[in-house]
Amino acid sequence: MKAETLYDRLGGSDGIETVVDEFYDRMLDDERMQPFFEDVDMERQRRHQALFISQVAGGPAEYSGENMRAAHRNLGLTHEDFETVVTHLRASLDACGVDEADAADVIEAVRGLEDDVLCR
């Protein structure tokens, strides 16, 4: 019997898309984060984020977007911005009923990308 992956525990593609939608709704409602998305095709952004989380969570989706450093190099993100993203992601996972341990695994994976996202 195949072990259940984090992807499965997050609800597969549908569950991840729900979390991503909740996350971007929160990000776009946050006046501090809005400027980062002014010229962004949000439908495309949501698809890419869902694919990225799916891959990180062990799902079948293959993320083919830019690497983290390239995707964020011109944004001028700060540690505080990164923490805001983590806070919104955690709140989104909680709002979608993701188990505490699974949410912690997602947050840990995101935190592991901080240096690349902040281009350090």
Side-chain angles (χ1 to χ4, degrees):
M1 189 166 145
K2 187 177 175 181
E4 190 176 52
T5 65
L6 177 57
Y7 173 84
D8 296 323
R9 294 190 309 273
L10 291 172
S13 178
D14 290 342
I16 289 170
E17 286 176 16
T18 299
V19 170
V20 167
D21 284 341
E22 178 73 21
F23 170 70
Y24 280 117
D25 288 349
R26 289 171 183 269
M27 291 289 284
L28 294 171
D29 284 344
D30 186 328
E31 291 180 9
R32 298 166 299 172
M33 297 289 104
Q34 289 171 357
F36 295 113
F37 298 99
E38 286 178 351
D39 296 321
V40 174
D41 176 344
M42 289 307 299
E43 184 176 322
R44 182 176 181 269
Q45 181 68 25
R46 289 172 193 256
R47 274 194 315 269
H48 276 284
Q49 186 70 20
L51 287 172
F52 173 72
I53 291 175
S54 294
Q55 182 174 324
V56 167
E62 290 192 32
Y63 175 76
S64 61
E66 292 182 286
N67 69 45
M68 288 298 117
R69 189 172 295 270
H72 296 91
R73 74 176 160 256
N74 296 320
L75 297 178
L77 294 166
T78 66
H79 174 73
E80 291 76 21
D81 296 328
F82 186 83
E83 288 302 316
T84 298
V85 168
V86 170
T87 298
H88 285 312
L89 179 57
R90 182 56 200 237
S92 299
L93 292 161
D94 291 344
C96 293
V98 173
D99 175 80
E100 172 68 30
D102 294 336
D105 287 345
V106 172
I107 296 300
E108 180 181 349
V110 169
R111 286 204 178 279
L113 299 169
E114 183 175 4
D115 284 343
D116 286 338
V117 170
L118 298 181
C119 299
R120 298 191 288 206

